[in-house]
C-alpha cells in the first residue's frame, strides 16, 4: 500500500450494486482523475477487513492480476478499504460468449492462479477454514433463498 491518502481526495462516487457482499461498494474518482474501488463495512468488521487487506497484499505480491490494496482506515460510516480500479466486463456476461475451448483455457488459468494463492500460509489469527466456509455457504444460501425467480 502506498502512503498516498486517497479517501480525502474523492470527488465522485458511483454505487456498485452487483455482488453478494453486504459492503457498500463504489467506483470513486479522485481529484487527480484516478479511479478506485471503495468498500465500506460496519466498524464491527474492522479486524476481519484488516486481515483481508493483509492477505490481499500477500496475494498481490505474487504478481497475480488483481485489484491491489491502496488504503485502509476508519470513516463515519465504518471501516473503509480502497483498491485499485480494474476496468472490464463481468465474467458472467462474457463467459457464455466464449467457445468451450476458451472457457476451458480460462479454467486452467484460474486453477494455476488458485494454486499460487494457496501457497500463502494462513495467519494463525485466521478463523478455522471449515467454520468460515460453513458461515459463507450458509449466508449465500440465505441470500439465494430471498431471490424471487419468475418463469
Amino acid at each position: 500500500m502506498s502512503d498516498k491518502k486517497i479517501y480525502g481526495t474523492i470527488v465522485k462516487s458511483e454505487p456498485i450494486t452487483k455482488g453478494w457482499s453486504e459492503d457498500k461498494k463504489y467506483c470513486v474518482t479522485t481529484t487527480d482523475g484516478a479511479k478506485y474501488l471503495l468498500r465500506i463495512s460496519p466498524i464491527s468488521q474492522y479486524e476481519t477487513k484488516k486481515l483481508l487487506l493483509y492477505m490481499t497484499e500477500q496475494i498481490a505480491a505474487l504478481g497475480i492480476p488483481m485489484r491491489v490494496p491502496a488504503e485502509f482506515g476508519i470513516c463515519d460510516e465504518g471501516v473503509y478499504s480502497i483498491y485499485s480500479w480494474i476496468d472490464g466486463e463481468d465474467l458472467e456476461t462474457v463467459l457464455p460468449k466464449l467457445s468451450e475451448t476458451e472457457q476451458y483455457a480460462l479454467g486452467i488459468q484460474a486453477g494455476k492462479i488458485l494454486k499460487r494463492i494457496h501457497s500463502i500460509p494462513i495467519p494463525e489469527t485466521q478463523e478455522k477454514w471449515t467454520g468460515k466456509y460453513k458461515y459463507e455457504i450458509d449466508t449465500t444460501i440465505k441470500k439465494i433463498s430471498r431471490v424471487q425467480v419468475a418463469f
Side-chain angles (χ1 to χ4, degrees):
M1 258 187 323
S2 75
D3 293 332
K4 177 183 170 186
K5 295 296 178 196
I6 299 167
Y7 188 80
T9 66
I10 295 171
V11 293
K12 180 181 174 187
S13 67
E14 299 172 37
I16 299 171
T17 56
K18 290 192 171 207
W20 294 100
S21 169
E22 294 178 6
D23 290 352
K24 294 177 183 174
K25 300 175 293 273
Y26 304 90
C27 173
V28 296
T29 306
T30 58
T31 52
D32 64 359
K35 282 184 169 182
Y36 296 92
L37 169 65
L38 168 65
R39 298 181 73 108
I40 300 177
S41 311
I43 193 68
S44 61
Q45 293 185 11
Y46 179 86
E47 289 301 324
T48 301
K49 295 300 180 178
K50 185 176 178 182
L51 179 61
L52 178 62
L53 188 85
Y54 169 77
M55 293 303 295
T56 304
E57 288 174 325
Q58 300 301 305
I59 295 168
L62 295 175
I64 292 173
M66 58 179 283
R67 62 187 175 139
V68 178
E71 189 173 319
F72 178 78
I74 296 173
C75 62
D76 292 341
E77 296 179 66
V79 58
Y80 71 88
S81 305
I82 299 177
Y83 297 89
S84 59
W85 181 260
I86 301 174
D87 280 320
E89 295 180 64
D90 287 334
L91 186 60
E92 67 184 340
T93 304
V94 174
L95 196 61
K97 298 174 185 174
L98 300 177
S99 70
E100 285 186 20
T101 303
E102 291 169 312
Q103 292 178 27
Y104 184 81
L106 283 177
I108 296 293
Q109 183 181 1
K112 289 177 181 178
I113 290 171
L114 283 172
K115 183 177 181 181
R116 289 173 54 205
I117 290 171
H118 288 212
S119 73
I120 298 172
I122 297 173
E124 289 183 23
T125 57
Q126 176 72 16
E127 182 182 345
K128 293 291 183 195
W129 182 84
T130 53
K132 182 169 178 53
Y133 185 73
K134 182 182 181 327
Y135 171 79
E136 293 294 329
I137 292 298
D138 289 346
T139 302
T140 301
I141 289 170
K142 287 177 187 172
K143 289 176 183 176
I144 290 171
S145 68
R146 287 187 233 139
V147 175
Q148 297 292 323
V149 179
F151 291 98

